[in-house]
Amino acid sequence: MTETKETTASEVRVRFAPSPTGYLHVGGARTALFNWLFARKRRGTMILRIEDTDAERNKPELVTGIIEGLKWLGVDWDEGPFYQSQRTEFYREMGRKVLASGHAFLCYCPPEKYVGGDHAEEGAESVKVRKITRCTCREGKPSTPGTKPAVRFKVPVGGTTKFYDAVFGEREFSNDEIEDFVLLRSGKESEEFGQAMYQMSVVADDIDMRITHVIRGADHISNTPKQVLLYRALGAEPPIFAHVPLILGPDKSRLSKRHGATDVNMYRREGFLPEAFRNFLALLGWSPGGDEEYLRTSDLLEKFSLEGVSRTNGVFDRAKLEWFNTQYLQKLPIEDLLPEVEARLKEDGLWKDEWAAGAGHEWFSRTVDLLRPRVRLLPDFSSWSRAFFSDEFAIDPAAKAKFWKDEKVPGLLAKLADALGALTEWNHDACDHASRKVAEEGGVKAGLLINATRVAIVGQAVAPPLFDTMVVLGQERVVRRLRDALKEWK
RNA sequence: GCCGCUAUGGUGCAACGGUUAGCACGUAGCCCUUUCAAGGCUAAAAUACGGGUUCGAUUCCCGUUAGCGGUACCA
């Protein structure tokens, strides 16, 4: 049914199968990343499948956000996106097939009345233990004749179901612990059956799409035996599973909105570099085995393996993510960084086209290079470093208070403006000498003048080394800003 | 409740029977100095607990505890 390219039996085929009931959260993003790394490393095929079989909870518009997030992360796919909502008849057919083969039965119990499962008794005093029970429909005796039936899988009595997990190893579950799960919902009105349930549609698709490795969150471990049973009932060989541990919040509970940003697109908006985010994510629950941490995508591709995936849930540590971002900001080849900064400046209305090529581009490159060691997030280029890209910038009151409190400052700045304005050469050393001379003549330590000057020309207490800053800003601008600063004392 | 998984500093990972238990983030302190949100150095900080197995356990086994997951006509 699905159109796929010809593949050899040994080719790896994986899929990322998000459900559009929310945005792309970091846990899903990491699952996607692991699938992608595995597929690319093994020269296999990556498939994107949207699991939207729950009409009640799905919001189609969320798919756009998920795809956007994946693209930002650099996760691409070879087939899809496939939408399960468009394959409902296929799942129904598969469900009927299971039914026809005797591996399923028609269940007439209303959902609330179903006796299977082992839900804890809600009762106040004693908590009664309920073993899994099998309803009478299973034996062909409809419990509530006249209602529309659902299709339930007929879990074997006794025995165990095993599967191999590349992360957790050989797993074995007792069949008596598995309830007769629903394959097809009961139909509405004239329908014979309703929409397929998750277990039915994943297995049907994974067989149809010839998935070889199912890499997904560890929250699916207990679903797996059900799926294995389904594979067998359909006469198919189960794939290799690889369950990756979950991502937790700082309080060790499952990561959720109340822990702050969990939407991958939030990190894009906040100004993280995708490659830094990817590096951070890859190391949460996976390790190459050694101590290296700065792993660019090519390194991840080279080193990734399912064996390196950890079995323990991990806490999402934003501080470390930020550290990774500073590492990338500092170490990335400048030409890889420039486009990111450019996009940011454009977004913030600070971009000038003259920086796109030629001398302007060279200036832009030098300036970004000068700024990068002190920047943490992309937006810092247009906020903290605004004075480098625009003449309209504010002077930080705290910086003023700290470095302009000496009464000699205005006089010194005026003298400096004259001295710098008179320079015929404009470079680091010329600025350095001129400034120190002014300080000396004014009878103050060079630091006093230097700090005061920094505040005047960039408006911040923290900035790159002053004379490098002057060179980049240019003579005319520096002198003008010094003169402008003088107005602050009037 | 029941079933399952997991357990190394605050956090992420190393050590896959023998190490003074390693690295990184974060934290604290020091240095550099022209600022620090840059750089350098140092420090504090861990094998959850109790039993085994073994000449020897972080590592293997059992129990306890804790956390997490599942227990839907959700995915």
Side-chain angles (χ1 to χ4, degrees):
Chain A
M1 183 165 180
T2 304
E3 284 182 43
T4 54
K5 66 181 189 215
E6 282 309 305
T7 53
T8 62
S10 64
E11 195 204 339
V12 159
R13 292 175 62 85
V14 297
R15 49 38 166 211
F16 174 56
S19 170
T21 52
Y23 43 73
L24 177 63
H25 59 90
V26 299
R30 193 194 50 179
T31 300
L33 178 63
F34 283 7
N35 271 286
W36 182 81
L37 287 170
F38 186 69
R40 292 292 169 257
K41 161 130 195 186
R42 301 280 289 262
R43 300 183 151 282
T45 303
M46 169 83 173
I47 297 167
L48 177 62
R49 188 171 74 212
I50 307 298
E51 308 217 318
D52 52 353
T53 52
D54 184 355
E56 312 275 292
R57 302 198 310 158
N58 288 317
K59 298 186 186 129
E61 65 276 14
L62 290 169
V63 174
T64 318
I66 290 173
I67 287 178
E68 221 177 276
L70 289 173
K71 284 189 174 158
W72 177 69
L73 263 181
V75 169
D76 57 2
W77 52 92
D78 310 300
E79 295 176 17
F82 298 113
Y83 290 82
Q84 289 195 324
S85 58
Q86 291 170 12
R87 295 161 60 81
T88 57
E89 202 41 51
F90 169 60
Y91 307 131
R92 267 192 275 243
E93 264 169 45
M94 297 298 267
R96 284 192 201 100
K97 198 174 156 191
V98 180
L99 184 62
S101 71
H103 291 284
F105 63 95
L106 295 173
C107 181
Y108 295 86
C109 302
E112 335 71 69
K113 292 273 205 52
Y114 179 63
V115 297
D118 74 325
H119 316 281
E121 205 90 329
E122 304 279 323
E125 55 312 318
S126 67
V127 182
K128 289 193 187 120
V129 181
R130 286 208 313 193
K131 289 298 276 181
I132 298 252
T133 49
R134 308 290 179 188
C135 79
T136 60
C137 308
R138 192 185 215 257
E139 317 310 332
K141 285 177 260 173
S143 60
T144 323
T147 57
K148 295 214 125 197
V151 176
R152 278 186 193 274
F153 191 84
K154 195 186 282 180
V155 175
V157 175
T160 60
T161 297
K162 301 179 213 184
F163 62 91
Y164 177 70
D165 190 301
V167 175
F168 289 88
E170 212 66 60
R171 293 291 110 182
E172 184 170 5
F173 287 80
S174 163
N175 290 336
D176 293 334
E177 302 291 344
I178 305 170
E179 83 256 20
D180 291 330
F181 52 100
V182 174
L183 261 25
L184 261 31
R185 292 173 168 92
S186 49
K188 293 195 175 80
E189 282 124 49
S190 61
E191 284 179 329
E192 184 191 7
F193 298 119
Q195 287 249 307
M197 291 282 289
Y198 171 72
Q199 314 290 0
M200 183 70 251
S201 52
V202 246
V203 171
D205 273 345
D206 286 343
I207 291 173
D208 187 51
M209 297 176 186
R210 307 198 314 285
I211 300 302
T212 58
H213 300 254
V214 170
I215 303 170
R216 74 216 317 186
D219 50 339
H220 285 288
I221 290 178
S222 23
N223 283 328
T224 309
K226 296 178 189 169
Q227 292 170 18
V228 170
L229 251 14
L230 247 188
Y231 271 92
R232 304 261 191 241
L234 286 163
E237 194 57 31
I240 291 172
F241 294 93
H243 288 99
V244 310
L246 302 177
I247 298 179
L248 312 177
D251 62 353
K252 303 276 184 98
S253 70
R254 197 174 175 168
L255 190 66
S256 70
K257 307 106 264 173
R258 55 171 230 284
H259 291 115
T262 52
D263 179 358
V264 166
N265 286 314
M266 282 295 292
Y267 292 92
R268 175 172 57 76
R269 275 179 240 120
E270 277 190 62
F272 284 92
L273 292 165
E275 199 172 12
F277 193 77
R278 210 178 303 147
N279 192 160
F280 167 74
L281 223 44
L283 256 21
L284 224 186
W286 172 77
S287 160
D291 284 337
E292 320 95 293
E293 292 208 296
Y294 181 81
L295 302 169
R296 295 201 59 182
T297 306
S298 55
D299 304 314
L300 294 177
L301 249 8
E302 186 195 316
K303 296 173 190 291
F304 188 79
S305 80
L306 259 19
E307 289 67 47
V309 176
S310 142
R311 285 177 298 275
T312 60
N313 295 167
V315 173
F316 186 89
D317 182 3
R318 189 188 158 101
K320 186 139 190 183
L321 167 60
E322 287 188 13
W323 176 79
F324 267 111
N325 209 54
T326 64
Q327 293 305 297
Y328 276 81
L329 247 11
Q330 288 180 42
K331 294 186 189 168
L332 229 39
I334 192 76
E335 60 275 16
D336 289 348
L337 179 59
L338 259 20
E340 299 282 355
V341 180
E342 177 178 334
R344 207 71 205 187
L345 291 178
K346 277 179 177 156
E347 218 168 289
D348 296 324
L350 294 177
W351 175 256
K352 294 194 177 71
D353 287 333
E354 63 193 76
W355 299 333
H361 183 71
E362 218 163 286
W363 174 87
F364 180 59
S365 174
R366 259 169 59 218
T367 304
V368 169
D369 204 30
L370 182 64
L371 256 11
R372 67 200 292 203
R374 265 157 269 254
V375 168
R376 298 188 76 80
L377 295 170
L378 254 11
D380 293 337
F381 281 103
S382 27
S383 56
W384 179 76
S385 311
R386 187 183 176 92
F388 287 80
F389 302 107
S390 167
D391 284 326
E392 284 163 39
F393 63 94
I395 294 183
D396 175 30
K400 270 198 242 187
K402 188 173 179 192
F403 294 124
W404 282 4
K405 59 174 185 279
D406 193 299
E407 54 186 15
K408 290 184 186 144
V409 168
L412 289 164
L413 294 183
K415 283 218 177 78
L416 183 64
D418 292 340
L420 293 176
L423 287 178
T424 53
E425 259 189 308
W426 190 257
N427 56 48
H428 178 284
D429 290 351
C431 291
D432 190 336
H433 294 145
S435 303
R436 288 183 196 282
K437 197 166 168 227
V438 170
E440 198 181 315
E441 287 171 1
V444 300
K445 293 209 311 199
L448 176 75
L449 175 63
I450 286 166
N451 289 331
T453 304
R454 179 179 305 105
V455 176
I457 67 176
V458 299
Q460 301 284 144
V462 176
L466 185 69
F467 305 120
D468 294 325
T469 298
M470 285 184 173
V471 172
V472 147
L473 288 179
Q475 185 171 25
E476 184 272 331
R477 242 183 192 165
V478 169
V479 172
R480 174 158 43 83
R481 288 182 183 183
L482 283 168
R483 297 237 153 88
D484 285 348
L486 261 18
K487 295 173 189 157
E488 298 279 330
W489 277 271
K490 284 178 183 152

